Amino acid sequence: MSEEKKYNIKLNPKKPNKEEIRKKMDFKGAYKAYSHKVYRTPWYSFQRHSSKNRKVSMFIILICVVGALVFIESEKEFNQKNKIPPSIQDSTLIKADTLKLK
Amino acid sequence: MKHEFTYNNLIRERLLKKKEKISEEKLVLFAKQDRRNFKYLYEAYYERIFLFLLRRSENENLAQDLTQQTFVKAMLNIEKFEFKGFPFSSWLYRIGLNELNLYYRSNKKKRTISIDNDELPELVEELPSESNPNLSNENLIKAFNFLSEAEVTLVEMKYFEKRSHQEISEILGISVANAKVKLHRVIKKMKNKIIESSENK
């Protein structure tokens, strides 16, 4: 059997009693850490309230998606309408030599 | 809203007086409604979770941090918890184990195994003395170095913490039959390693 130590083995470790554990652990600390995470991170706050306002949030997301799609479509249409053929507008395309000949 | 507030207060009063025992399922429901009610679940389980993590961690401070993280994670995700026949504690143990594994993985440290001499005889009994009459506690402890972390967890739960197959399966999220099979394989593996080592000598 190789002597390679994969684990740190503690033999007969000292166990703290109930009072010692109680002193170490308190709910206030855990709740503080929880509320810190919940209120500081937008994703957690969203998750926390998602059950209450799931319908509202889904409706808002749907409106945002539909709005974005409508905007993209209208942009495309606007660009197509305002597209003027370059041959008419752009004077630089008319060659000077051809004018002289005429 | 007002109704919910008064209802919660009523539960709090009842719990404080300890006149009425409220089921775990109800406590979880109250904690889902208001996270401050999680206090009752915390007080019911913090000691067990702390000792569970202390056995597997280097020192008390680390066990304390991991226990706190376990409860914070539980509070954050309690909405997802549903009763499917398993006790709430098994869910907490599972979160604790995940936190512990995350700690050892991210810090690249050796996992700690705590063994009391009184806990070893049951494990020794599992290994037949005929095949290895000179089986000492030292050899048995050395055999742990050939097991994976998951295998060590199984042995710890069964032989050191004296948990039932049912409880092990609930904590690890596997079936009872699977827990039994896995444990049988681990014991077989340990046996082989001990025999190998005695032959090499």
Side-chain angles (χ1 to χ4, degrees):
Chain A
M1 206 183 293
S2 78
E3 291 296 314
E4 191 198 346
K5 281 185 180 175
K6 199 174 168 185
Y7 301 105
N8 173 26
I9 295 172
K10 284 198 288 186
L11 282 168
N12 301 319
K14 188 202 152 208
K15 276 181 194 167
N17 59 34
K18 280 190 178 190
E19 274 306 305
E20 282 175 328
I21 300 171
R22 181 171 282 187
K23 276 178 195 168
K24 279 181 181 290
M25 307 303 302
D26 72 317
F27 178 68
K28 277 181 190 173
Y31 187 76
K32 209 175 170 186
Y34 157 77
S35 47
H36 180 83
K37 274 194 179 178
V38 164
Y39 297 113
R40 291 293 168 94
T41 324
W43 173 241
Y44 276 130
S45 64
F46 174 77
Q47 269 189 322
R48 189 168 179 257
H49 298 292
S50 62
S51 61
K52 287 177 192 168
N53 55 17
R54 191 168 285 139
K55 278 181 189 169
V56 177
S57 52
M58 286 307 289
F59 188 66
I60 292 166
I61 291 166
L62 190 73
I63 286 175
C64 289
V65 171
V66 171
L69 287 171
V70 168
F71 179 75
I72 291 163
E73 277 301 307
S74 63
E75 274 284 293
K76 270 185 193 172
E77 267 182 35
F78 181 78
N79 286 342
Q80 272 176 355
K81 273 181 190 174
N82 292 346
K83 216 177 186 181
I84 301 152
S87 54
I88 303 162
Q89 279 288 306
D90 202 349
S91 59
T92 54
L93 286 172
I94 303 164
K95 287 180 182 175
D97 295 347
T98 50
L99 284 170
K100 273 180 190 175
L101 282 169
K102 277 176 185 176
Chain B
M1 200 67 191
K2 199 181 175 184
H3 171 74
E4 195 183 300
F5 175 74
T6 50
Y7 186 55
N8 281 345
N9 267 356
L10 186 75
I11 297 152
R12 230 171 267 159
E13 277 168 25
R14 278 182 185 177
L15 280 167
L16 286 172
K17 283 174 188 169
K18 287 183 180 178
K19 278 183 180 173
E20 200 176 317
K21 274 196 174 181
I22 293 181
S23 72
E24 197 177 58
E25 204 168 344
K26 276 185 183 172
L27 284 177
V28 171
L29 191 73
F30 303 147
K32 278 183 184 180
Q33 286 168 354
D34 185 348
R35 293 296 188 279
R36 281 167 293 183
N37 289 337
F38 196 90
K39 189 184 174 184
Y40 307 109
L41 289 165
Y42 182 91
E43 276 171 7
Y45 296 113
Y46 76 90
E47 198 184 316
R48 274 185 263 177
I49 301 293
F50 178 80
L51 290 173
F52 177 81
L53 291 167
L54 180 65
R55 174 178 270 284
R56 293 158 175 84
S57 50
E58 299 152 356
N59 53 49
E60 285 185 19
N61 290 338
L62 176 62
Q64 187 186 348
D65 286 348
L66 291 173
T67 312
Q68 208 79 314
Q69 278 172 37
T70 302
F71 281 102
V72 171
K73 281 261 168 85
M75 270 194 270
L76 288 166
N77 296 301
I78 199 161
E79 289 286 344
K80 293 175 195 167
F81 177 79
E82 280 173 27
F83 270 98
K84 288 174 183 171
F86 304 130
F88 182 71
S89 59
S90 61
W91 188 62
L92 286 177
Y93 283 127
R94 206 185 304 175
I95 297 174
L97 259 184
N98 289 341
E99 286 297 310
L100 188 88
N101 291 337
L102 198 72
Y103 168 81
Y104 281 116
R105 220 173 294 149
S106 54
N107 290 287
K108 290 177 181 171
K109 283 187 176 179
K110 280 182 188 173
R111 155 91 140 80
T112 302
I113 306 170
S114 302
I115 306 169
D116 265 341
N117 275 340
D118 328 338
E119 294 164 349
L120 281 173
E122 205 178 317
L123 183 60
V124 174
E125 271 175 31
E126 286 287 323
L127 306 161
S129 53
E130 294 156 16
S131 61
N132 191 24
N134 301 321
L135 178 64
S136 65
N137 285 354
E138 199 186 329
N139 280 343
L140 195 66
I141 290 162
K142 275 180 190 170
F144 274 103
N145 290 320
F146 294 93
L147 304 181
S148 68
E149 279 184 29
E151 289 169 337
V152 167
T153 305
L154 271 169
V155 175
E156 277 177 330
M157 283 185 190
K158 179 69 187 164
Y159 298 102
F160 302 160
E161 293 169 339
K162 318 273 187 250
R163 291 181 196 277
S164 63
H165 287 114
Q166 175 75 33
E167 210 179 347
I168 294 170
S169 69
E170 285 166 6
I171 295 170
L172 299 177
I174 54 177
S175 67
V176 178
N178 199 358
K180 280 182 187 174
V181 169
K182 279 185 175 179
L183 254 166
H184 178 74
R185 282 181 192 156
V186 175
I187 293 300
K188 205 175 171 186
K189 193 176 175 181
M190 283 184 92
K191 242 185 255 179
N192 290 339
K193 289 295 169 192
I194 290 165
I195 292 166
E196 263 178 41
S197 73
S198 60
E199 279 172 0
N200 288 341
K201 277 177 185 174

